[in-house]
Amino acid sequence: MSDLGLPARRSAIFLLDQIMGEGKLLPELIGAGVLDRLAPEDRARAQRLTVETLRGIERADRILQKHLQKYPPLTVRNALRVGTIELCNGGAAHGVVNAMVSIISKHKHYGHLKGLVNAVLRKVATTGPEQWNALRTPRLPKWLRGPLVEAWGGQTVLGMEAAFFAGAPLDLTAKGDAEAVAKAVGGTLTPTGSVRVPAGTQVSAMPGFTQGDWWVQDPAAALPAKVLDAQPGEDVLDLCAAPGGKTLQMAAAGANVTSVDISSSRMLRVSQNLVRTRLGADVQVADMFTLTGQYDAVLLDAPCSATGTIRRHPDLPFAKDGSEFADLIDMQSRMIDHALTLLKPGGRLVFCTCSLLPDEGEVQVEEALERHPALSIDRTALDRPGIDPAWITEEGGLRLRPDFWAEIGHMDGFYVAAMRKAG
């Protein structure tokens, strides 16, 4: 580890500045190479510090506000936040304070505030750790919390926030025997058949990675392909397919899979995973609205607010403000309409989003059924191992929420509906 961990800490502060000041998402920043010049251990530490700070930012701000008369510029504030998170989670006071003072002292605009950073973090080191656990579970920003409370109620949203704050374990989907994979990696099986291992496990070092025995996929994200239930020899279309878990599931079932996404960089990962798992699919980089053809089944994992994935992506509430929701909702309905043109008579469509907003799930399906009299909901498709009947909604879809499975580590939020086109 580099002296004082300065590269990792400086990078974490930069990432927070970009997320909170510029509205950038963490995967975009990492994909753009922001951390590429760091040593591997510093890169991992920078990401961990960023994620931990985003999860605990409300607590950090509550501790800091007692020691600040006014808020300093964002970069200084983020240095204080990272320092507070470290100090309140067992970081050595001397090392943390010295590192943050050193980083700010070298900043061309804010070097004169190094004394403030020193004084505030020394106070936090004394009183912060005991205050930390007494503070409430961090709440979502109001722009998102309001709609969620309206949809699900305050108590449910508190459960979701507990899941977001706790973070997520690592979940795997087995290519073949899930019990054998669980035994090999030292994991446990979830009720729906995913393999769960503790967070922080190095993926590429785990047994079966090189052999392609499994891939990383949240249990909620694994359910749409299980609901679709692709059969050997069927022609199946996976729309908005990246990062590819559903393509792999359907290919492993023996279907002839056409895997389509508009992003060439994201589809490269799909191709790499197909090679690693020794599975086959026709991978295409294309706009789905240009597609023609007829398929036995179509899986549409539509672009959405991704509000169900905050336990893995705590940057979302801070980088977004909800302004893009209306455009996403409009695009989802157009995608459903076009997906139906690609479906053979009697074929089935599974529509899903990793959203907690009913407008991106339940409402979309209700409106699609109204627009298309030849379309019907298929409730029997939801009869799968581990699916609680209480998760099935009034219109016949499946509502998965982060507050579910609280005793075993939660799941992502998802909405899934299976529909069938008249023959």
Side-chain angles (χ1 to χ4, degrees):
M1 187 65 64
S2 34
D3 184 39
L4 290 180
L6 293 182
R9 288 174 166 129
R10 190 181 294 112
S11 297
I13 294 164
F14 175 78
L15 289 170
L16 291 166
D17 285 354
Q18 292 292 301
I19 292 162
M20 307 189 79
E22 304 295 330
K24 302 277 181 67
L25 289 168
L26 185 56
E28 286 173 14
L29 292 163
I30 292 168
V34 165
L35 302 180
D36 285 359
R37 296 170 78 173
L38 296 183
E41 66 271 21
D42 282 331
R43 197 179 311 146
R45 189 180 187 189
Q47 289 188 59
R48 179 178 57 77
L49 283 174
T50 304
V51 165
E52 288 176 357
T53 303
L54 290 165
R55 287 200 179 112
I57 216 160
E58 182 193 287
R59 285 189 178 184
D61 283 353
R62 282 174 177 252
I63 288 169
L64 284 166
Q65 70 186 15
K66 297 172 184 175
H67 308 299
L68 292 167
Q69 291 180 320
K70 63 176 183 178
Y71 288 127
L74 183 62
T75 299
V76 178
R77 196 173 173 189
N78 282 334
L80 290 170
R81 286 164 163 163
V82 173
T84 298
I85 295 287
E86 287 199 85
L87 290 168
C88 292
N89 288 279
H94 180 75
V96 173
V97 175
N98 282 1
M100 293 305 162
V101 170
S102 176
I103 288 167
I104 295 303
S105 70
K106 292 181 174 65
H107 197 287
K108 61 183 177 181
H109 298 304
Y110 307 129
H112 63 287
L113 293 173
K114 66 179 181 181
L116 173 78
V117 171
N118 183 52
V120 169
L121 288 182
R122 285 187 183 282
K123 290 175 185 172
V124 170
T126 303
T127 60
E130 64 184 51
Q131 294 172 341
W132 181 260
N133 288 321
L135 292 168
R136 72 182 187 186
T137 298
R139 301 277 170 92
L140 290 165
K142 288 178 183 174
W143 70 264
L144 178 55
R145 194 171 207 276
L148 292 182
V149 169
E150 187 179 341
W152 310 114
Q155 279 303 116
T156 295
V157 172
L158 287 173
M160 292 180 182
E161 287 166 334
F164 296 152
F165 186 52
L170 182 68
D171 292 301
L172 314 175
T173 296
K175 183 169 76 171
D177 184 345
E179 284 190 20
V181 168
K183 187 175 180 182
V185 301
T188 57
L189 281 179
T190 68
T192 54
S194 293
V195 178
R196 176 157 284 182
V197 295
T201 309
Q202 188 185 338
V203 172
S204 58
M206 291 167 60
F209 174 80
T210 306
Q211 296 86 344
D213 294 343
W214 47 262
W215 52 90
V216 175
Q217 189 178 29
D218 189 86
L223 279 174
K226 292 180 180 182
V227 167
L228 186 99
D229 194 25
Q231 298 299 306
E234 278 192 319
D235 294 323
V236 178
L237 179 61
D238 187 7
L239 294 173
C240 312
K246 300 172 186 67
T247 289
L248 298 173
Q249 286 176 280
M250 296 188 290
N256 303 317
V257 183
T258 302
S259 181
V260 179
D261 197 282
I262 202 165
S263 167
S264 56
S265 60
R266 282 163 57 81
M267 283 309 270
L268 180 60
R269 279 184 58 200
V270 178
S271 297
Q272 289 168 342
N273 271 321
L274 284 164
V275 170
R276 182 177 65 83
T277 55
R278 298 166 179 80
L279 293 169
D282 177 12
V283 174
Q284 298 182 17
V285 177
D287 180 338
M288 68 161 280
F289 291 107
T290 66
L291 298 179
T292 56
Q294 294 283 282
Y295 295 85
D296 297 304
V298 176
L299 198 162
L300 170 58
D301 186 355
C304 70
S305 63
T307 43
T309 67
I310 294 170
R311 57 204 275 273
R312 298 182 192 278
H313 301 289
D315 50 322
L316 277 165
F318 299 100
K320 302 289 185 183
D321 61 5
S323 59
E324 79 278 22
F325 286 180
D327 289 342
L328 285 169
I329 290 163
D330 175 62
M331 183 166 64
Q332 290 155 10
S333 60
R334 289 189 293 112
M335 284 181 161
I336 291 172
D337 292 348
H338 188 68
L340 289 171
T341 69
L342 305 171
L343 205 54
K344 292 178 183 175
R348 57 205 191 279
L349 167 68
V350 167
F351 168 76
C352 62
T353 56
C354 55
S355 172
L356 293 171
L357 301 168
D359 282 349
E360 296 187 286
E362 291 87 341
V363 176
Q364 282 289 11
V365 167
E366 286 170 353
E367 292 181 350
L369 293 169
E370 287 176 11
R371 287 196 306 276
H372 301 281
L375 194 63
S376 60
I377 202 83
D378 184 0
R379 291 172 182 267
T380 60
L382 305 182
D383 185 15
R384 303 284 159 202
I387 290 181
D388 188 331
W391 301 347
I392 299 174
T393 57
E394 189 179 339
E395 79 291 340
L398 186 63
R399 168 50 67 189
L400 306 170
R401 299 196 320 237
D403 57 308
F404 294 166
W405 287 0
E407 67 287 352
I408 60 166
H410 304 277
M411 65 168 74
D412 280 352
F414 244 86
Y415 177 81
V416 188
M419 294 169 277
R420 197 172 281 273
K421 189 176 182 179

